[in-house]
Amino acid sequence: REDGDNTYSTAYMTLLMYDPLTPAYTSDGKLVNTLYLRGNTIGHLKEGGVTTQHDYNIDLLMGLTYKVPFVDGLSVSTKYSINPNITSVKRQDKKHTVYNVVRKGSHGLIFTDEVISSELSGYPATEKLEYSYNIGRSYQLNLMANYNKSFGKHGLDAVFVYERSEGDNVYTLAQRFDYPLLRRDQIWATGSSRLQGAVDGNESQNGRSSYIGRAVYNYGEKYFVNLTARYDGSMLFAPGYRWGFFPSVSASWALSKEDFFNVDFIDFLKIRSAFGNSGNDAVGGWAWSESFSNVGSYLLSSLQPMVRYGGIANKVLTWEKTREWNIGFDSKFLKGCMLNMDYYFKHNYDILDTRIVSLPISFGGSMPPENYGIVDAHGIEVELGYTGKIGKVNFGVMGNFAYSTNEVKLRDVAQNVRKVDNPNGRPTDYIKTYVATGILRTQADLDALPAGYTINGLKPRLGMLNYQDVSGPTEGVPDGIISSFDSQVLEGKHSNPPYMFGLNINADWKGLGIDLFFQGAAGVWKTRSDRAFAEATFIRNYKYFEDMWTPENPNAAYPMGVGTGTYSATSWIGSDFWIENGSYLRLQQLNLRYSLPKNITKKLRLPDDITFNLSGTNLFTITGFHAYDVTSIRPETYPIVSSYTMGINVTF
C-alpha cells in the first residue's frame, strides 16, 4: 500500500521507520500499540486502507508520406498523434485497532503479552474516503517536407518541419471524512454533514508551435556542413515574448579520405565542430500573469471568502537560453580500435531567477522572477573501444568517460553577503557545512574550551561533536562560539558526480554469449544522515549505536546518540563528519545467452533459431559508502533492487 502522507511517502519508508526491537504482535496475534505516530506500522500497512488506481490511455498515431513525382528527391509527409487519458484514484484511510500492553524496563521499552486495553490508532487523525479524477488530452501534428538529392560529388539533404502540440488537463478531488457506523469504502458509510466533506480541483492548458529547418551538404563524403534553425513558440510566456529563434551550425572533415593522408595505422579519422543556441521553456510558466488564490474565510456577519494576491507579475519573461560550442573527432585505427572524443563549452544565460534577496525590507513585497542568471559549463567525453577475435571467440570492449563542471557567473545576492553564502564563482553543487574537529571525549576536552563557548546555542557536553570556529558577525574573525557564521565551503567536493564512466564487454563462442555493462561515478560526496542517532521515530541504523560515544566507550567512532530533549538539536548540525565519498562501480547489466546449433535444431525438426537467455540487473555495487544505496538521494528513497529474468526466443 502506497501512502499519500507527505512526511512518509511510501510503504518502504513506513517499514524503514519501524524499530525491529519493538514487537508488532502479541503472542496471540494482537497488534501492539507501539506508540509511534502510525500506531502500529504493520497494522497500518495491512489495515490502514487501500488505494486503487485505474488508468485509461489511448495512443493513436497516423502518418502519410507522398513522394512528389515531378520533383526528384522531394517527399512530403504528415504525422498526427492523439493521446486522451483518464486516471481515477480511490483511496481509503482507516484507523486500526491496537492493544496497549504492559511495558517493563527502566525506559518502558520491554513489551509484554499482557493486554491492558485497546484503542483505535492515532493515525490517520481523521478517517476519510477520497476520489480523484484526472482527465487529460494532448495531440501533436507534424508537417514535413524532405529533399534528398545527389549531384555528382555534391549531396544535399534538406528538411522543413512544422510542429504543433497542445494539451489540457482537468483534475477533480472529492473527500468525505469519518465513518459514523461502518468503516466501508463507500460514500454512504461516511459522514453526511457538509462539514465532513471537501472538494478541490484545477484545470491547465499547454501549447507549443515550432518551425524547424535543416540542411546538410556534403562534398565527396569528405566535407560536411549542417545548418539548423528552430523558431519555437510557447504559451508559457506572455504574448510578444513567446517566440525564440535558435540557430546552429556544424561542420566535419573526413580527413582520412584525403589523398595526402597516408597514415597506415589509422583506418578512419573525422574532425568535427559545432556551434549553436537552444532554448528551454520548462521554467514553471505563467509567472507573467497575475494570479490569485483562495486562502480560507473570515467572519463578518457571516463567513466570507478571502483571496490572496499572488505577487507582482513579470510580463517580459522569456526562454532560458544556452549557447554551446564543441569540438571533437571520431577515429578507427589498428584494425579494430576506435576512439571518439568531444570537448564542449556551454554558456547558459537568461536563466529564470528572483532578485528578492537584494531588496530592502522596507520594499514590503517580493520581486517577480527575471531572466538574468548566467551559468557556464564545460566538459569532455571520451569513448574508447576494441573489437577482435581470438580463435573462435569474438569479443568487444567499449568504455566511456565523461567529466563535467560548471560555474555560476551571475546570481543575485544580498548586500554584504558572506563569502560562504555567495554562489558566484562556484559550481552549482558546491557543499557548504560545518567542519568537525572531533568528538568531545573527555573532561579535559571540555575544559580546553573557552569560557562561554556554545554549540548552536547549547552548552557543550561529553559525547558531542565539536566544530571549527572560523568566523563570527565580523567576517573571518572567530567569536568563541559555534553558530551559522562557522559554516565553510568544502573546496573541491561536489554533491553531484563530476566524473561518470561505463564499460561494455561482450563475447561470443560457439553460440554461447555474454554481455556485461558496468556503470559508475566518482568525485561525488554524500551525506550519511545523522538521523540514525535519534532515539525517537527516525531511521534505525544499529551499526552506529554499536559504536557511539558513552562514558564506557569514550573512544567510539561516532558521537553520542541523542533523543528528543534539548540536546536533540545537536544531531541536526550538518558537518563534514557525516560526508563520505560516494564514488561507486555497479554491474548494471549481465546477459547470458545460448543458441542451439543449427545441426541440432535441424535433426530435431525444431525452428532454426532457438536462444536461451538469462539476465540480471543491478547485481552488485563496489563503493565505500554504505549508509544507504549510493545512488539514492536520501536514505528514505526506495533503493535500486536486483532483478533476474529467464527466457527463450524462438524464431520460426
Side-chain angles (χ1 to χ4, degrees), residues 56 83-88 132-138 167-172 202-204:
Y56 308 90
N83 173 226
N85 60 87
I86 301 174
T87 298
S88 67
S132 64
Y133 297 92
N134 198 87
I135 302 175
R137 177 191 64 87
S138 62
D168 54 63
N169 193 82
V170 178
Y171 174 76
T172 305
N202 58 69
E203 299 181 37
S204 63

Side-chain angles (χ1 to χ4, degrees), residues 23 37 41 44 51 100 145 262 394 438 533 596:
L37 293 176
T41 303
H44 169 70
T51 298
N100 298 307
N262 55 4
N394 297 299
F533 287 91
L596 288 177

Side-chain angles (χ1 to χ4, degrees), residues 71-383:
V71 181
D72 187 25
L74 178 64
S75 63
V76 294
S77 61
T78 181
K79 290 183 179 180
Y80 178 77
S81 64
I82 188 169
N83 173 226
N85 60 87
I86 301 174
T87 298
S88 67
V89 179
K90 177 182 179 181
R91 173 183 170 185
Q92 182 189 29
D93 283 343
K94 295 193 306 179
K95 296 177 180 290
H96 56 280
T97 301
V98 293
Y99 292 84
N100 298 307
V101 300
V102 173
R103 295 185 294 141
K104 298 182 177 181
S106 58
H107 296 287
L109 298 178
I110 300 175
F111 291 74
T112 71
D113 280 341
E114 185 180 347
V115 175
I116 302 173
S117 60
S118 65
E119 61 184 73
L120 291 177
S121 61
Y123 182 87
T126 303
E127 296 181 308
K128 70 179 178 183
L129 183 64
E130 175 181 292
Y131 292 87
S132 64
Y133 297 92
N134 198 87
I135 302 175
R137 177 191 64 87
S138 62
Y139 78 87
Q140 179 167 317
L141 171 67
N142 287 71
L143 303 175
M144 182 170 63
N146 179 269
Y147 181 75
N148 193 318
K149 183 70 173 177
S150 295
F151 308 90
K153 292 185 176 182
H154 304 273
L156 179 63
D157 185 359
V159 178
F160 176 78
V161 180
Y162 170 72
E163 182 178 285
R164 182 184 181 91
S165 61
E166 290 184 355
D168 54 63
N169 193 82
V170 178
Y171 174 76
T172 305
L173 172 70
Q175 297 175 320
R176 294 293 295 269
F177 303 103
D178 291 330
Y179 297 89
L181 298 175
L182 299 173
R183 290 185 294 167
R184 301 279 181 85
D185 61 342
Q186 300 290 326
I187 286 290
W188 63 263
T190 58
S192 58
S193 169
R194 290 187 178 183
L195 298 178
Q196 293 177 304
V199 294
D200 197 4
N202 58 69
E203 299 181 37
S204 63
Q205 292 179 319
N206 63 80
R208 198 179 193 191
S209 292
S210 300
Y211 298 90
I212 307 166
R214 187 195 69 188
V216 180
Y217 167 80
N218 83 84
Y219 177 77
E221 298 296 324
K222 291 191 294 185
Y223 313 105
F224 299 82
V225 177
N226 186 337
L227 301 174
T228 303
R230 298 183 61 102
Y231 189 52
D232 296 317
S234 173
M235 67 180 295
L236 295 178
F237 306 116
Y241 298 91
R242 289 179 172 171
W243 291 90
F245 180 63
F246 308 109
S248 64
V249 58
S250 65
S252 60
W253 178 22
L255 186 61
S256 58
K257 292 190 176 184
E258 296 288 357
D259 294 337
F260 60 80
F261 189 90
N262 55 4
V263 182
D264 293 338
F265 66 91
I266 297 180
D267 306 312
F268 175 78
L269 177 61
K270 177 187 283 188
I271 301 172
R272 48 187 166 72
S273 183
F275 176 82
N277 277 25
S278 60
N280 171 37
D281 67 341
V283 291
W286 304 103
W288 58 270
S289 176
E290 292 186 330
S291 62
F292 301 87
S293 59
N294 188 337
V295 292
S297 304
Y298 69 95
L299 183 62
L300 195 57
S301 57
S302 61
L303 287 176
Q304 301 295 324
M306 290 192 302
V307 174
R308 175 183 295 164
Y309 180 52
I312 302 172
N314 182 359
K315 297 185 179 298
V316 298
L317 291 180
T318 187
W319 295 76
E320 293 185 344
K321 304 176 184 68
T322 297
R323 183 178 300 123
E324 181 175 0
W325 169 79
N326 81 287
I327 187 171
F329 66 85
D330 302 324
S331 67
K332 296 179 181 179
F333 55 97
L334 297 178
K335 307 300 181 183
C337 297
M338 61 85 67
L339 174 63
N340 302 331
M341 185 176 294
D342 281 274
Y343 170 80
Y344 67 86
F345 175 82
K346 293 183 179 181
H347 176 63
N348 305 284
Y349 61 103
D350 282 350
I351 298 173
L352 198 64
D353 206 347
T354 179
R355 294 186 183 274
I356 186 171
V357 291
S358 63
L359 290 173
I361 298 176
S362 58
F363 181 76
S366 59
M367 292 291 287
E370 300 178 44
N371 295 101
Y372 78 91
I374 300 175
V375 176
D376 287 347
H378 70 275
I380 187 171
E381 298 175 352
V382 181
E383 283 186 319

